[in-house]
Amino acid sequence: MRGNWNGWLLLSLLLMVLPGCGGAASNAKKTGDVTQVTESTRISDVIGDPLFGDFGRLLFPVDSGYWGGDALGSLSLAWYSHIRPARTVGIVNALREQASAGNRIFYRIYSDEEMRADPRKSDTGLFFFRGRGGSKFAVCNAGGGFVYVGAMHDSFPHAQELSKRGYNAFALIYRPGAGTACEDLARAIVFIHEHAEELGVDVRDYSLWGGSAGARMAAWLGARGTGAFGEKGCPRPAVVVMQYTGLSEVTGDEPPTYGCVGTDDGIASYRTMQERTRRIRAQGTDAEIEVFDGLPHGFGLGEGTVAEGWLDRAVAFWERQMR
């Protein structure tokens, strides 16, 4: 009897433990052929999901000091507002579905040799949100004060929405630091141009998008070009789309620029952005800005706020610049 009792006890313990195992499948529901994560799915399970291989950790900031939350529904990011759990869950599920279907969703931008020489380059790469084959592309750059990359709120949602509109969108994970971030963006632009056929993208009239620190990156690459950051020269973007940044410089080489910001932004003054837009226009270059009453820093897509729909207007601005 003691042996049978021990066996039943072991089985009971296993049944209690098993529901929490199995990567991102825990706390999830089954839809079609792919198990769907939910707001209660642990972030650690997403990072370790076999569908994401060794790059699952790059879905979230590498430096854990700038984000919090144990589950997808409780994710928080320093300096960012209006994080929507439903959007976070939708992004992870969309990427898992693509990976499960055999579509590549992540691309390294540096060679193995380069990553061995500088291990921080292993913390970079491009997440690919596919649109129509052969359509134009955008590179989205999250902010994070050049100390972390807030992609899950500040670039993944933008890339996802652009892909829904048929464009091929990439979200760059870069090395923190203004200089290294721009070097990584320059490399990413060159990478996409060199692999355009494999990626199925049209490299003409591409756009650079960014929020906060990511907006500075987009602006700097747009005005100075990839050659200024140690890479071979590539055509400049047709458009730069910028959110909530305090960048004030105008070189005279800016591409057409769309910007948006909130009046309650304590990090990036809307007046600074308005003045920069005015100066770009004075150079004879198309530029627009939207200022949203009452919004703070880091509103992202602005879903459920007065800013909702700004991305559609930014896309329309981009399309007007296409040849």
Side-chain angles (χ1 to χ4, degrees):
M1 290 295 294
R2 181 183 296 254
N4 289 339
W5 170 252
N6 288 339
W8 281 110
L9 179 60
L10 178 59
L11 178 59
S12 298
L13 289 171
L14 284 172
L15 289 173
M16 286 189 289
V17 172
L18 282 175
C21 300
S26 64
N27 296 318
K29 59 184 180 181
K30 188 79 171 180
T31 302
D33 295 326
V34 182
T35 302
Q36 302 285 292
V37 302
T38 68
E39 291 185 17
S40 62
T41 300
R42 293 189 298 270
I43 292 173
S44 59
D45 287 341
V46 174
I47 292 172
D49 191 330
L51 283 172
F52 294 142
D54 64 350
F55 57 83
R57 63 190 182 85
L58 300 180
L59 290 164
F60 303 92
V62 174
D63 189 329
S64 60
Y66 294 96
W67 66 278
D70 294 325
L72 292 178
S74 60
L75 174 67
S76 63
L77 297 167
W79 309 309
Y80 279 103
S81 62
H82 298 86
I83 296 175
R84 294 174 66 88
R87 172 67 66 171
T88 302
V89 168
I91 288 166
V92 174
N93 278 326
L95 290 172
R96 294 184 76 246
E97 288 167 6
Q98 286 292 310
S100 179
N103 294 320
R104 188 171 177 181
I105 60 172
F106 182 76
Y107 290 83
R108 297 283 182 188
I109 57 175
Y110 291 107
S111 67
D112 290 341
E113 182 180 2
E114 289 172 312
M115 289 188 289
R116 283 194 296 270
D118 181 355
R120 288 205 305 157
K121 290 181 177 177
S122 65
D123 292 336
T124 69
L126 289 165
F127 283 94
F128 189 13
F129 292 75
R130 283 177 171 78
R132 291 189 302 270
S135 67
K136 299 182 187 300
F137 79 88
V139 182
C140 301
N141 305 279
F146 289 123
V147 293
Y148 83 98
V149 182
M152 190 57 77
H153 174 64
D154 210 32
S155 63
F156 290 166
H158 304 61
Q160 184 180 49
E161 286 303 308
L162 288 169
S163 71
K164 289 179 180 178
R165 289 154 178 77
Y167 294 105
N168 291 298
F170 299 88
L172 174 65
I173 307 300
Y174 56 85
R175 292 169 292 165
T180 50
C182 287
E183 291 171 7
D184 294 343
L185 178 53
R187 170 59 67 92
I189 293 168
V190 171
F191 177 90
I192 295 168
H193 277 79
E194 290 182 340
H195 296 83
E197 184 174 353
E198 172 193 347
L199 296 167
V201 303
D202 179 355
V203 298
R204 297 170 298 176
D205 300 321
Y206 70 95
S207 58
L208 298 180
W209 298 57
S212 198
R216 289 177 181 260
M217 294 163 57
W220 287 331
L221 264 295
R224 302 175 189 179
T226 55
F229 298 96
E231 296 292 334
K232 75 177 188 180
C234 280
R236 305 284 181 91
V239 159
V240 166
V241 177
M242 308 173 65
Q243 289 186 274
Y244 33 76
T245 181
L247 182 67
S248 60
E249 68 177 20
V250 174
T251 67
D253 295 320
E254 282 73 22
T257 301
Y258 167 95
C260 65
V261 65
T263 59
D264 286 0
D265 194 321
I267 297 175
S269 167
Y270 73 91
R271 292 185 177 89
T272 299
M273 289 192 69
Q274 284 179 320
E275 174 60 16
R276 185 172 187 272
T277 302
R278 185 197 66 77
R279 292 171 61 200
I280 292 174
R281 285 177 182 156
Q283 299 280 352
T285 301
D286 196 5
E288 292 184 7
I289 186 168
E290 290 190 81
V291 177
F292 301 114
D293 188 44
L295 280 189
H297 193 76
F299 55 80
L301 292 181
E303 294 170 297
T305 76
V306 295
E308 188 161 9
W310 74 262
L311 184 136
D312 288 323
R313 295 185 289 277
V315 168
F317 180 85
W318 177 21
E319 290 173 344
R320 290 202 302 272
Q321 316 302 325
M322 295 178 185
R323 298 184 294 276

